[in-house]
Amino acid sequence: MSGTNGKIKIGFYICHCGTNIAGTVDVQKVVDYAATLPNVVVSKHYKYMCSDPGQEMIQKDIKDNDLNRVVVAACSPFLHERTFRNATSQAGLNQFYFQMVNTREQNAWVHLDPEASTDKAMDLVRSAINRVAFHKPLEKKTVPIKPDVLVVGGGIAGIHASLTLANAGKKVFLVERDPTIGGHMAMFDKTFPTLDCAACILTPKMSAVKNHPNITMWTYSEVVSVDGYVGNFQVKVKRKPRYIIDDMCVGCLDCIEACVYKEPRFYNEFDQGLSKRKPVYMPFPQATPQLVVIDPETCIWFKTGKCKQTCVESCERKAVDLNQEATFKEIEVGTIIVATGFQSFDARKVYYYGYGTYPNVYTALEVERLINASGPTSGEVVLRDGSRPKSIAIVHCVGSRDKNTNLWCSRVCCLYSLKLAHLLKEHTHADIYNFYIDIRTPGKMMDEFYTRMAEEGVKFIRGRVADIYPDSTDEEHRRLVVKAEDTLIREIIKVPVDMVVLSTGLVPRDDAQDVRRMLNISCSTEGFFIERHPKLAPVNTFTDGIFLAGCCQGPKDIPDTVAQAGAAAAEALALIDLGYIELEPNTAFIVEEECSGCKSCVPLCPYTAISYDEEKKKASINEALCKGCGTCVASCPSGSIKQNMFEDEEIYSEIDGILNYQMEEALCC
Amino acid sequence: MLLKNETGQTASKQWEPKIIAFFCNWCTYTAADLAGVSRIKHAPNIRVIRVMCSGRVDPQFILDSFAKGADGVLIGGCHPGDCHYQEGNYKCLRRFQMLKRVVDSLGIEKDRLRLEWISASEGDKVRIVVNDMVAKIKVLGPLGLPLKFKNWADEMHVIVSEVAGKEEVYA
Ligand SMILES: Cc1cc2nc3c(=O)[nH]c(=O)nc-3n(C[C@H](O)[C@H](O)[C@H](O)COP(=O)(O)OP(=O)(O)OC[C@H]3O[C@@H](n4cnc5c(N)ncnc54)[C@H](O)[C@@H]3O)c2cc1C
Ligand code: FES
């Protein structure tokens, strides 16, 4: 015990955190109390323990008073445990001679009664002071990081992250579920706030991905399992059959021409159903890779087994293979970037807006396609019956900021509504009405964009739309009435329009929960993947080595998505270039002399880290495989398995501390 | 002998139950942190002990907590299927089912021991569970096992010395 003749000497510190803690917890009282506890040599409070002076204070005390244990009551260990461990180790103590008391997140921030908060703090401080005496000096274990990276999702986030990593010389596996990369951005014509053409900035990046020697791009593929841990993930990817041989297809489209369906008849996903496609199709002209795909759901051969297979015949290069089967690839990567994006709120859920009932009610995404020069109408904005709208209502916040649907603001809807207003005006010269709750345009150049759009003669009505219904005065039954309260003039207004655009919010993907489970990461209440810390670790997850980029973490625009993708790539690079990661040493081990060889622990370990040595008749734990959950420890009947950092004595001492239970006294009778 | 235990005290301060909570690092502990970040106020009666996984919770921890004066014990883990270590929470559940019977046979009311699945996003569930548990235990009153143990021990003392006295007589 670092030159202290076996005597435990504890330094105790409580942080005010400004008024965050000290506003509720009586820090002076806690300090006075801690000073009376056994082994406590120093007991202090300070405004910001995590600041340099706070850390230096600990270090000085360690040296001056020969401290060999440190306890800090401050925020959550998730935030500053590392900081204080570093401070401890820099003063020459083993960093695991430190214990933290969560006094902010789990105390001062959640309780109102200062007295009860202070009592709680004292209980937990006593508990930590009890515990820390049992701490052992430990070393972190290091594991090497495999340099390859998996990127899941090929929207702008996944594309940017992949290119950043590949340009830095790392091998990237990009797995995209759809037949092409590009994500939502590929569907847009122009992008706010610059109104530059989406394809012009996206397509070059898509081909860069395709052609990059360091990127293996698997489209029409899905990750089916992920095992292992940071530095060493084993990933299984399913490549769905495209019924086209990748290396043979040159994207000439002859097979589409030759299909027995002379006319396209099936829902075109990329155009949101505003156009039709054949069972064999190219998702869109710039699809990357330039490979057609055959959809077995609609192809007559797969449905009936009868077809002349004209597509097969038409292909000179013999690229069509109707017997293709799914293949599975197994790869090993050190880090993973999740970039699975978002989906649009289902407008049918706000039934009184009539989406799906009235043909002239559109979603914003449909209008993005209508406006698009390569869209279903070649950029001409016409209604489903072919007529041009003369008046258009844009309804903001559909599905957002509403306790009946989703509480959050989707951040991009006001801006894309303004963009659509401008583009619709440009295309149709129609009267345009924006119905908004309030206009939200934060971000660089965004409010300027709003001002510019507002000057273009688009009308703004502040009020949430209450109802949309057919105009009874319209003999052709096409016109719709948009009813809302104009809250600026406090009047109910009814605006007849030819077309309604619903600015639907951004929501998590339907399968986000499955992806989360597979990757062992967490979702926030809304269902977006949760970052390790909203401010300080915005692209990290609670699982080391897995990072987030883009809208899968929450709604955001393209500039923020790209910035986040860059950050995620940088985090992965930092790990890869260091070459190893330090893991907590909370692994389990067996005290051989005490093991009775009952084998009850062996089947409990999900990582098969425990084996039974027939010769010695003892169990043994492979430290490299143990992930440190402690399940075996809790089950050992003879108590001969121990978990570093969570040994029985450590936990019992916490219990004793909390309950202020004193062994000797209890036993004295 | 003096038990420095706070349960069973009748002094001026109103009795408040003390609940020991074992929260797994990945879900429930994070949820309790989230409750903090979201300033979701709840009863100040729980004292959290962090473990890596609910699978680490040894039934002995729970019996020990009761024996040493806890009025309630709460175990918090990830939802089924979500355990950071795949299935630690199932192991916990299995032990919990058995433990419940033991605890019951010891005469400890069932509301004093609770297992809850609380995911990292369920800050509000921390509030709901803690408040509910505190309210129920307030109705039950203190468990006060240390005091009971002491009384039993005293009774034993008396019996033992009585027996010893008789033995002396017969001797
Ligand atoms: C109508 C509308 C207009 C918009 N206009 C603008 C604008 O003008 N300017 C602007 O800055 N922003 C705009 N945005 C926001 C913009 O769309 C997003 O910021 C951007 O698309 C986010 O990119 P992403 O890569 O995170 O997600 P996505 O674009 O959703 O890409 C995710 C990709 O991951 C794939 N994927 C999903 N799950 C899996 C899985 N399990 N396995 C493999 N692959 C998977 C998907 O197929 C998809 O290709 C608009 C949004 C909408 C709805
Ligand atoms: S990690 Fe939460 S229960 Fe296992």
Side-chain angles (χ1 to χ4, degrees):
Chain A
M1 232 160 282
S2 67
T4 47
N5 307 326
K7 199 170 153 10
I8 306 275
K9 291 183 169 180
I10 303 173
F12 169 73
Y13 306 85
I14 184 165
C15 178
H16 298 203
C17 194
T19 54
N20 279 299
I21 292 173
T24 312
V25 174
D26 183 344
V27 290
Q28 185 64 51
K29 191 173 171 194
V30 178
V31 161
D32 292 344
Y33 177 67
T36 67
L37 294 172
N39 302 329
V40 175
V41 177
V42 173
S43 181
K44 292 181 177 171
H45 59 81
Y46 186 66
K47 259 210 145 18
Y48 290 103
M49 281 310 299
C50 61
S51 66
D52 280 349
Q55 296 184 49
E56 282 156 15
M57 178 164 84
I58 300 179
Q59 294 174 331
K60 186 163 181 305
D61 286 349
I62 293 178
K63 292 192 179 118
D64 293 356
N65 298 286
D66 219 5
L67 300 180
N68 53 20
R69 299 288 193 282
V70 175
V71 173
V72 177
C75 50
S76 167
F78 276 116
L79 207 60
H80 276 309
E81 187 172 55
R82 194 174 292 175
T83 314
F84 295 121
R85 278 187 185 169
N86 283 344
T88 308
S89 81
Q90 277 164 18
L93 266 185
N94 183 285
Q95 58 174 321
F96 293 96
Y97 280 147
F98 167 77
Q99 176 72 10
M100 194 153 179
V101 185
N102 189 330
T103 315
R104 195 179 70 170
E105 282 79 351
Q106 296 190 14
N107 188 344
W109 276 354
V110 286
H111 306 317
L112 292 167
D113 175 12
E115 202 179 324
S117 258
T118 308
D119 279 352
K120 178 169 176 177
M122 293 197 305
D123 279 357
L124 290 170
V125 164
R126 197 168 52 228
S127 163
I129 285 173
N130 250 6
R131 184 193 214 272
V132 80
F134 291 92
H135 281 202
K136 302 219 167 112
L138 298 167
E139 294 306 324
K140 287 199 165 188
K141 62 172 189 186
T142 58
V143 291
I145 302 277
K146 291 226 159 74
D148 298 357
V149 187
L150 167 71
V151 177
V152 189
I156 181 63
I159 290 174
H160 187 78
S162 301
L163 285 173
T164 309
L165 288 160
N167 288 339
K170 308 302 169 208
K171 290 251 178 308
V172 178
F173 295 92
L174 173 60
V175 176
E176 164 61 53
R177 179 163 50 198
D178 283 350
T180 170
I181 57 171
H184 282 93
M185 189 176 169
M187 300 162 95
F188 310 152
D189 184 46
K190 301 231 162 72
T191 54
F192 68 74
T194 42
L195 294 181
D196 43 355
C197 131
C200 314
I201 49 182
L202 182 64
T203 334
K205 286 187 89 115
M206 287 165 60
S207 22
V209 166
K210 165 88 184 56
N211 297 323
H212 207 298
N214 287 339
I215 301 181
T216 306
M217 177 178 83
W218 286 326
T219 54
Y220 214 44
S221 302
E222 262 169 62
V223 177
V224 288
S225 73
V226 176
D227 289 314
Y229 47 88
V230 55
N232 197 351
F233 292 105
Q234 292 91 45
V235 181
K236 196 164 168 190
V237 178
K238 176 182 180 185
R239 304 214 56 203
K240 294 178 277 188
R242 243 187 153 95
Y243 306 107
I244 299 294
I245 302 166
D246 287 19
D247 305 338
M248 296 290 180
C249 176
V250 288
C252 69
L253 311 185
D254 284 353
C255 50
I256 302 182
E257 187 62 35
C259 178
V260 292
Y261 282 105
K262 285 294 154 237
E263 292 302 323
R265 295 180 41 174
F266 303 102
Y267 186 97
N268 181 334
E269 295 84 357
F270 192 76
D271 279 340
Q272 299 287 295
L274 292 174
S275 72
K276 304 278 183 232
R277 61 158 172 80
K278 294 185 180 179
V280 52
Y281 67 103
M282 179 72 83
F284 62 100
Q286 300 92 338
T288 307
Q290 276 284 305
L291 298 175
V292 299
V293 51
I294 295 177
D295 169 21
E297 298 286 314
T298 50
C299 171
I300 196 156
W301 165 252
F302 288 98
K303 287 175 69 181
T304 67
K306 284 187 221 111
C307 178
K308 283 185 276 176
Q309 301 193 352
T310 42
C311 54
V312 180
E313 278 165 30
S314 73
C315 184
E316 271 178 22
R317 299 173 56 87
K318 304 271 168 277
V320 182
D321 174 9
L322 297 176
N323 298 317
Q324 207 173 47
E325 279 178 14
T327 55
F328 292 87
K329 301 271 181 190
E330 281 173 29
I331 53 173
E332 294 195 337
V333 296
T335 46
I336 299 177
I337 293 179
V338 189
T340 49
F342 67 97
Q343 68 187 38
S344 281
F345 172 77
D346 177 4
R348 285 180 187 81
K349 289 188 182 157
V350 190
Y351 62 92
Y352 45 88
Y353 287 169
Y355 180 75
T357 310
Y358 310 129
N360 293 344
V361 178
Y362 289 79
T363 65
L365 217 44
E366 287 171 334
V367 176
E368 290 282 356
R369 294 309 300 148
L370 272 184
I371 290 177
N372 199 301
S374 61
T377 52
S378 307
E380 220 189 308
V381 179
V382 289
L383 297 172
R384 290 185 220 260
D385 63 5
S387 68
R388 269 170 169 265
K390 295 195 194 62
S391 52
I392 303 172
I394 301 179
V395 182
H396 291 220
C397 301
V398 177
S400 307
R401 306 173 65 196
D402 182 345
K403 64 177 188 307
N404 298 313
T405 51
N406 299 317
L407 286 178
W408 64 90
C409 163
S410 292
R411 268 195 50 192
V412 293
C413 317
C414 278
L415 285 154
Y416 79 58
S417 298
L418 293 167
K419 169 184 80 174
L420 292 179
H422 165 85
L423 296 173
L424 284 167
K425 185 126 196 112
E426 191 177 75
H427 282 64
T428 62
H429 305 293
D431 289 330
I432 301 196
Y433 305 88
N434 272 282
F435 289 86
Y436 67 99
I437 306 178
D438 47 349
I439 297 278
R440 297 192 166 178
T441 52
K444 192 170 171 178
M445 296 191 341
M446 299 301 184
D447 216 52
E448 294 89 326
F449 174 69
Y450 167 37
T451 314
R452 221 167 355 116
M453 296 302 110
E455 284 164 359
E456 284 181 358
V458 175
K459 296 184 185 65
F460 289 91
I461 298 165
R462 198 184 83 177
R464 182 164 257 196
V465 171
D467 200 5
I468 293 172
Y469 52 88
D471 183 354
S472 53
T473 63
D474 173 24
E475 278 154 28
E476 290 169 50
H477 303 295
R478 275 186 319 190
R479 205 158 46 215
L480 296 162
V481 177
V482 179
K483 182 176 155 190
E485 183 191 345
D486 185 331
T487 52
L488 291 179
I489 54 170
R490 296 214 175 153
E491 243 173 56
I492 303 288
I493 58 164
K494 296 173 183 170
V495 182
V497 292
D498 297 327
M499 178 185 197
V500 173
V501 182
L502 302 180
S503 297
T504 47
L506 277 55
V507 300
R509 293 211 178 246
D510 284 337
D511 67 343
Q513 294 292 336
D514 302 333
V515 174
R516 169 181 78 77
R517 287 222 165 99
M518 186 172 68
L519 294 167
N520 214 338
I521 58 177
S522 304
C523 288
S524 55
T525 330
E526 320 81 73
F528 292 109
F529 300 137
I530 203 169
E531 63 281 1
R532 183 173 226 146
H533 190 274
K535 293 170 198 113
L536 302 179
V539 299
N540 303 65
T541 64
F542 284 102
T543 305
D544 283 325
I546 302 190
F547 307 101
L548 304 174
C551 289
C552 62
Q553 179 261 345
K556 56 182 66 66
D557 58 17
I558 295 164
D560 283 4
T561 297
V562 171
Q564 205 182 22
E571 291 285 349
L573 280 174
L575 275 184
I576 298 167
D577 282 354
L578 188 62
Y580 65 89
I581 184 172
E582 289 189 324
L583 293 186
E584 290 278 293
N586 57 327
T587 42
F589 59 94
I590 298 205
V591 185
E592 256 191 23
E593 308 81 69
E594 284 164 29
C595 174
S596 68
C598 74
K599 298 190 203 173
S600 54
C601 55
V602 178
L604 284 180
C605 180
Y607 308 105
T608 58
I610 314 182
S611 55
Y612 182 71
D613 186 332
E614 288 292 347
E615 220 147 82
K616 290 199 210 155
K617 303 262 180 275
K618 308 265 177 200
S620 83
I621 295 178
N622 178 343
E623 208 204 338
L625 293 178
C626 172
K627 300 220 171 72
C629 62
T631 302
C632 57
V633 189
S635 77
C636 176
S638 61
S640 51
I641 313 184
K642 296 189 173 216
Q643 184 185 13
N644 284 320
M645 299 173 70
F646 295 90
E647 294 200 19
D648 280 356
E649 301 85 83
E650 291 172 323
I651 293 176
Y652 287 125
S653 67
E654 276 191 85
I655 298 175
D656 292 353
I658 289 172
L659 298 168
N660 203 3
Y661 185 84
Q662 273 145 25
M663 196 63 157
E664 316 80 53
E665 291 175 9
L667 286 180
C668 74
C669 43
Chain B
M1 191 200 79
L2 213 172
L3 272 180
K4 274 180 102 188
N5 222 291
E6 284 166 10
T7 47
Q9 68 182 26
T10 45
S12 57
K13 217 163 100 185
Q14 209 199 333
W15 170 76
E16 283 287 337
K18 204 174 269 189
I19 298 170
I20 291 203
F22 296 94
F23 282 178
C24 88
N25 185 57
W26 304 101
C27 282
T28 315
Y29 193 88
T30 315
D33 269 5
L34 176 67
V37 176
S38 326
R39 309 296 197 277
I40 298 174
K41 307 287 185 231
H42 52 266
N45 306 61
I46 62 159
R47 310 285 184 261
V48 177
I49 294 178
R50 180 162 67 130
V51 286
M52 292 315 282
C53 173
S54 65
R56 174 66 182 95
V57 181
D58 188 327
Q60 195 61 45
F61 295 168
I62 295 156
L63 295 174
D64 209 60
S65 302
F66 282 130
K68 290 174 176 171
D71 299 294
V73 177
L74 169 63
I75 309 167
C78 311
H79 284 265
D82 287 357
C83 172
H84 197 77
Y85 306 98
Q86 299 183 13
E87 47 200 39
N89 50 0
Y90 288 110
K91 311 276 160 58
C92 174
L93 177 63
R94 252 160 40 186
R95 285 183 207 133
F96 179 78
Q97 298 296 6
M98 291 207 279
L99 187 68
K100 259 203 320 208
R101 287 190 217 160
V102 177
V103 166
D104 191 50
S105 67
L106 291 172
I108 299 173
E109 298 90 340
K110 69 172 185 4
D111 283 340
R112 295 191 189 271
L113 175 60
R114 195 155 162 169
L115 169 65
E116 288 285 345
W117 309 134
I118 305 179
S119 79
S121 65
E122 294 176 317
D124 201 43
K125 189 165 176 190
V126 173
R127 174 184 67 85
I128 295 169
V129 167
V130 170
N131 284 355
D132 183 64
M133 196 165 171
V134 171
K136 285 186 174 140
I137 294 181
K138 277 191 175 165
V139 173
L140 294 174
L143 177 61
L145 277 189
L147 199 69
K148 286 182 191 153
F149 287 160
K150 179 186 175 298
N151 292 341
W152 292 336
D154 288 351
E155 277 170 34
M156 282 304 287
H157 258 301
V158 174
I159 295 170
V160 168
S161 52
E162 269 176 13
V163 170
K166 279 180 192 153
E167 275 170 0
E168 257 161 48
V169 172
Y170 293 124

